[in-house]
Amino acid sequence: MSDARDEEGLGWAGDDDPTLAPEVRGGPGAAPRRTVLDEAEDAEDRAAEHELEEAERASAQLSSVALIGLGVLGGVYLLYTIGWAVFFSRYELAIDVTFGVFSDLIARTLAIAAAPLWFVATLLLTQRRDLRYRFLWLVIGVLVLVPWPFLIGGAA
């Protein structure tokens, strides 16, 4: 039950004019001519698809064995962090604030933070490298960051 006056606001004069239709190459039924905007959208779509394929390829590269290995090495680094924290928690700091006490506090903090920092830095810096290269650096960190004072029961 719409009135013709209501329909007037929904269209423009000359909407049905065939000369205003998009230009068509090759006659009726052919695809409309592509514009620069269409080409840019297609290029953007291709770039997005390429990024998605790379991300899928990167996530598929880690096999189950590699994930288990990363988990085990991550656990070792976590144990190292706990070992350093336990070792340093056994001893109290001096009350007076001298340069020696301050530098000792910094050294203890860095010793505790070294293991997780090495693990995260290795994962971030070896993202685009071979998986063997990543594991090599993680194993080097396991050998270098061992909390020897905690393991042999030494004094701080």
Side-chain angles (χ1 to χ4, degrees):
M1 297 244 180
S2 64
D3 190 6
R5 289 179 299 173
D6 292 338
E7 299 294 327
E8 286 179 7
L10 300 176
W12 293 92
D15 278 347
D16 300 331
D17 187 2
T19 61
L20 296 177
E23 227 179 277
V24 177
R25 270 192 200 158
R33 188 165 24 145
R34 300 195 43 86
T35 63
V36 174
L37 181 60
D38 293 334
E39 295 295 329
E41 287 177 353
D42 289 345
E44 185 178 331
D45 290 343
R46 284 191 302 272
E49 288 175 7
H50 182 67
E51 284 182 28
L52 182 61
E53 288 173 3
E54 283 184 5
E56 288 175 355
R57 203 173 321 123
S59 66
Q61 285 179 351
L62 289 179
S63 65
S64 298
V65 175
L67 287 175
I68 291 171
L70 285 175
V72 168
L73 287 171
V76 169
Y77 281 101
L78 178 64
L79 288 175
Y80 283 7
T81 304
I82 293 169
W84 281 110
V86 167
F87 172 70
F88 287 130
S89 69
R90 293 179 182 167
Y91 303 96
E92 294 181 21
L93 286 174
I95 294 175
D96 57 339
V97 180
T98 62
F99 179 74
V101 172
F102 184 70
S103 63
D104 184 50
L105 180 62
I106 290 174
R108 290 180 184 200
T109 305
L110 290 175
I112 293 170
L117 286 176
W118 185 289
F119 185 74
V120 170
T122 301
L123 291 181
L124 291 176
L125 295 174
T126 61
Q127 280 180 343
R128 301 193 186 263
R129 299 280 187 138
D130 188 30
L131 196 57
R132 290 176 286 177
Y133 189 76
R134 176 181 286 178
F135 276 103
L136 172 70
W137 279 105
L138 287 173
V139 169
I140 289 171
V142 166
L143 298 174
V144 169
L145 299 171
V146 174
W148 288 112
F150 176 75
L151 294 177
I152 60 175

